[in-house]
């Protein structure tokens, strides 16, 4: 009988852990590195500038 008590989940503890996790969310780790984000933004800025400046230069 004591074996089944040890294997049963402790619902009160689980609830307390979930509540604590909700109050203190873990920072999500992004799969994309920062340099890739900067490159994407830079390429989009260059494309946007080229879209407006290139026709004006003609």
């Amino acid at each position: 009988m004591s074996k089944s008590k040890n294997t049963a989940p402790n619902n009160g503890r689980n609830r307390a852990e979930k509540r604590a996790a909700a109050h203190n969310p873990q920072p999500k780790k992004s799969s994309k590195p920062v340099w890739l984000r900067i490159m994407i933004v830079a390429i989009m800025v260059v494309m946007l500038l080229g879209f407006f400046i290139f026709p004006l230069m003609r």
Side-chain angles (χ1 to χ4, degrees):
M1 182 142 174
S2 65
K3 201 174 198 183
S4 66
K5 269 188 174 180
N6 290 343
T7 58
N10 185 346
N11 287 333
R13 183 170 159 245
N14 289 343
R15 235 178 282 140
E17 286 176 358
K18 285 180 185 175
R19 200 176 314 120
H23 282 287
N24 302 322
Q26 295 292 325
K28 293 190 177 183
K29 199 71 174 146
S30 173
S31 60
K32 290 191 213 78
V34 176
W35 65 267
L36 184 62
R37 291 174 183 251
I38 293 171
M39 284 295 287
I40 291 170
V41 171
I43 289 170
M44 294 197 52
V45 167
V46 168
M47 288 174 64
L48 188 65
L49 287 174
F51 185 75
F52 290 110
I53 292 175
F54 186 68
L56 291 174
M57 288 174 61
R58 284 187 173 182

